[in-house]
Amino acid sequence: MRRDVVAGAITLAGAAMLVATAGPAMFTAMRGFGPVDGTLAVSVILNVALVLFSWRLHVSLRDETGRRKAAEERICLLTRQDALTGLANRQTFLEDAARLLRRSSRRGRKTALLLLDLDHFKTVNEVNSHAIGDATLQLTADHIQAAAPAGALAARLGADEFALLFSYEDGRPDLVDAVAERLVGELGQRLDIAGAAIHTGASIGLAKSEPGCDLIEQLLRRADIAMYASKNAGRNRYHWFDESMERELNMRNAIESGMRDGIPLGQFIPYYEQQIDLASGKLHGFEMLARWEHPTRGIIPPDIFIPIAEETGMIADLSMSVMRQAFEEAKNWDASLTLSVNIAPSQLRDPWFAHKIVKLLVETGFPANRLEIEITESALADNMGVAQSVVGSLKNQGIRLALDDFGTGYSSLSNLRALPFDRVKIDRSFVTSLGSDAESTAVVNAITRLSDSLGLPVTAEGVETPEIEAKLKTLGCYQGQGWHFGKPMDVGQVRVLLAERNLLPVKHLAAPAGERIRELRKAS
């Protein structure tokens, strides 16, 4: 701008000099009163050139200033908007939201924040393309803008996460519900984008302004907690925030933090559940179960920490740590006893899993032919190709395989044909209701007959009463496990049991848990 003013000043100065120096002489010459002085003529020409140069400089600078101003306005717009969807970006949303909250509060109105995250969006990019993914985000933004009430703030906060903030009359949360229901319904349908059929959905969290929660940062935290509650409840739905969600989140975070410390400290230990031959009553082996020996909370069951371990990726380290302890212990048992280990779906997706298991067997000295790896049907569904490779490698080492939770998946028979399983385990959901539910009895009977025709022994989980054991015998099951035969035991209890049945060499009673074993003997 300053350069433009200088150029204009030079132009005016040049024009003034031209008029002052050449004006009178030029006027005299033009009237025919005398010849034109040569020096004066040169001066006139120079002044004219200066005026023309200055004028061109002035025009050029004026155009440059216009372009710069347009560029600055464009940059300002880009810093406030999301380039892909045209919605406000995170920073703009935070600034404008603070003003909207204050304005709504002064008018006695409530403010609702709707936080939306697309379900399975990563799959959209991977299966189709990033271009289709971008188009999906643009279409989502269009739906949000169409559903937004007047005066609402819509923003793309990042990746596939969107926000919608608007005020509503106190006592009318149904207006907010209507917006959320509309978006869940529209985004949950099949979306046709550039010839591709996109199946996604929207998990939405809702939060409202109230005493103690009147800042946008507080609303965002609450809406985020509610949004993850929607995802955990099955996705493609919405939830309002409530205080219990925050308590659960704090507890979950405490568990995660405790696990990160506890795994390397050896706080996760193996427990053992008996597996009994139903015909003879003989102990066949044990299934290894993980327990958390927490320093202040005592023994924590797996249903508390296993889902978090799988979600955070800690399941592999946890599993290998507990298996190492179990292998070190079980190698001292009678050679007739087996050890079953259930692995997580994420472990089966690891192409190096079989190598890790073999390495662990070598390091601990536990025989491969006494190990049985249990694989759930849900784990197979994730990646059959990798699963076949891993299973083949395990079988080549002499490790046996069991198909766990049989009957709960969608392709049980095809799994039995595709992979070389050595055993089938019937899910406890069918076993515990034997005798009281005709359908469960029919399922167990069908699985037993199918397995028998394939030459596969069957183990029933969830044997909790003598009546269930008797029913399983009539149906032809080979093995059973459950609380009817005893609750899962720690290493000390297992040693006592094995010693009493002469299945543990006497020298191993002096192992680290010797004092505990003597106490158990006295108690029994």
Side-chain angles (χ1 to χ4, degrees):
M1 185 67 181
R2 183 173 299 173
R3 292 173 61 191
D4 189 33
V5 172
V6 171
I10 292 174
T11 303
L12 292 175
M17 288 176 62
L18 177 61
V19 172
T21 60
M26 290 289 291
F27 179 77
T28 301
M30 289 174 64
R31 296 288 301 269
F33 294 119
V36 178
D37 184 84
T39 302
L40 182 60
V42 172
S43 177
V44 169
I45 293 171
L46 290 174
N47 277 280
V48 169
L50 178 61
V51 169
L52 293 175
F53 172 77
S54 300
W55 176 252
R56 288 194 62 183
L57 179 60
H58 170 71
V59 172
S60 175
L61 291 174
R62 183 186 62 190
D63 293 343
E64 181 184 346
T65 301
R67 288 193 297 269
R68 179 177 297 177
K69 183 177 180 181
E72 290 174 350
E73 291 175 352
R74 174 65 177 165
I75 292 172
C76 182
L77 184 63
L78 290 175
T79 59
R80 292 186 57 80
Q81 283 188 346
D82 172 59
L84 179 63
T85 63
L87 299 181
N89 60 25
R90 175 181 286 272
Q91 186 58 40
T92 301
F93 176 76
L94 293 176
E95 295 171 358
D96 294 346
R99 288 190 288 270
L100 177 59
L101 281 165
R102 289 193 296 268
R103 186 166 62 250
S104 298
S105 178
R106 287 195 301 268
R107 296 177 179 177
R109 294 171 63 86
K110 291 288 186 181
T111 305
L113 174 62
L114 183 152
L115 195 63
L116 182 151
D117 189 85
L118 290 179
D119 299 326
H120 312 297
F121 180 69
K122 182 181 179 182
T123 304
V124 174
N125 278 330
E126 292 176 347
V127 174
N128 298 280
S129 67
H130 284 278
I132 296 296
D134 289 347
T136 303
L137 294 174
Q138 290 169 334
L139 184 59
T140 301
D142 292 341
H143 280 292
I144 291 174
Q145 287 181 307
L153 298 177
R156 180 188 176 202
L157 300 184
D160 57 329
E161 188 175 69
F162 298 83
L164 185 64
L165 186 75
F166 56 93
S167 64
Y168 65 97
E169 295 180 13
D170 193 6
R172 293 297 308 277
D174 56 298
L175 300 176
V176 185
D177 288 315
V179 175
E181 288 172 0
R182 175 178 173 177
L183 289 172
V184 167
E186 292 177 350
L187 296 175
Q189 298 176 2
R190 190 184 78 168
L191 306 177
D192 295 313
I193 301 175
I198 304 302
H199 297 274
T200 181
S203 293
I204 295 176
L206 300 174
K208 62 182 178 180
S209 60
E210 54 189 359
C213 181
D214 53 3
L215 299 177
I216 186 58
E217 292 80 6
Q218 295 169 323
L219 279 175
L220 278 170
R221 172 175 167 76
R222 290 189 171 190
D224 189 60
I225 293 172
M227 184 264 289
Y228 276 101
S230 297
K231 284 192 177 294
N232 293 333
R235 303 176 186 266
N236 198 40
R237 63 196 65 211
Y238 73 91
H239 278 88
W240 280 94
F241 169 84
D242 65 56
E243 298 291 343
S244 65
M245 293 179 182
E246 190 160 24
R247 289 194 296 270
E248 291 174 3
L249 178 63
N250 291 335
M251 181 179 295
R252 182 223 172 272
N253 291 339
I255 291 173
E256 179 182 345
S257 177
M259 290 177 65
R260 294 192 185 280
D261 295 334
I263 292 174
L265 291 175
Q267 294 176 4
F268 291 84
I269 59 174
Y271 265 52
Y272 305 89
E273 186 173 53
Q274 298 178 62
Q275 294 177 327
I276 304 296
D277 184 287
L278 295 180
S280 63
K282 181 181 177 182
L283 177 65
H284 182 271
F286 296 88
E287 178 179 351
M288 185 203 79
L289 307 171
R291 295 291 186 270
W292 186 0
E293 199 171 45
H294 195 276
T296 59
R297 297 175 59 186
I299 298 296
I300 299 177
D303 58 327
I304 299 295
F305 61 82
I306 290 295
I308 297 175
E310 292 180 338
E311 179 186 339
T312 58
M314 289 188 282
I315 188 65
D317 290 341
L318 188 156
S319 178
M320 297 303 285
S321 171
V322 177
M323 276 194 282
R324 179 180 291 278
Q325 297 173 61
F327 291 173
E328 290 281 6
E329 174 63 28
K331 70 181 180 183
N332 301 316
W333 301 344
D334 189 88
S336 65
L337 298 176
T338 63
L339 181 68
S340 297
V341 176
N342 201 315
I343 64 171
S346 60
Q347 292 177 280
L348 196 61
R349 292 193 296 269
D350 179 5
W352 293 99
F353 175 71
H355 172 76
K356 294 174 182 177
I357 290 293
V358 173
K359 181 174 181 289
L360 194 58
L361 290 173
V362 172
E363 291 175 350
T364 59
F366 185 71
N369 64 345
R370 290 176 55 199
L371 175 63
E372 186 171 84
I373 297 290
E374 298 183 5
I375 302 173
T376 62
E377 289 195 279
S378 59
L380 295 176
D382 288 344
N383 195 328
M384 178 59 79
V386 175
Q388 287 177 316
S389 175
V390 170
V391 165
S393 298
L394 292 171
K395 287 287 291 183
N396 290 338
Q397 299 298 323
I399 298 170
R400 288 183 282 187
L401 300 170
L403 182 57
D404 198 14
D405 297 342
F406 188 78
T408 60
Y410 297 99
S411 56
S412 301
L413 185 56
S414 64
N415 288 333
L416 284 177
R417 296 178 61 186
L419 297 170
F421 287 104
D422 301 289
R423 178 178 299 279
V424 170
K425 299 192 72 174
I426 304 176
D427 187 70
R428 62 179 295 109
S429 61
F430 300 117
V431 177
T432 54
S433 55
L434 272 178
S436 61
D437 183 80
E439 290 185 359
S440 294
T441 303
V443 169
V444 173
N445 186 44
I447 293 174
T448 303
R449 291 181 179 275
L450 172 63
S451 301
D452 188 56
S453 67
L454 295 174
L456 297 175
V458 177
T459 297
E461 298 178 303
V463 183
E464 298 182 354
T465 66
E467 291 76 18
I468 292 178
E469 180 188 10
K471 186 68 175 179
L472 288 170
K473 288 181 180 179
T474 64
L475 295 175
C477 282
Y478 292 83
Q479 289 183 12
Q481 64 183 81
W483 285 18
H484 171 56
F485 305 111
K487 293 183 179 181
M489 300 177 287
D490 64 22
V491 62
Q493 294 167 319
V494 169
R495 289 178 181 177
V496 170
L497 174 69
L498 296 182
E500 291 174 346
R501 300 189 183 190
N502 295 319
L503 295 173
L504 183 71
V506 176
K507 64 179 181 178
H508 295 298
L509 290 176
E515 291 297 327
R516 170 66 174 155
I517 295 170
R518 284 189 285 273
E519 292 176 5
L520 289 169
R521 282 187 179 276
K522 293 178 181 178
S524 59

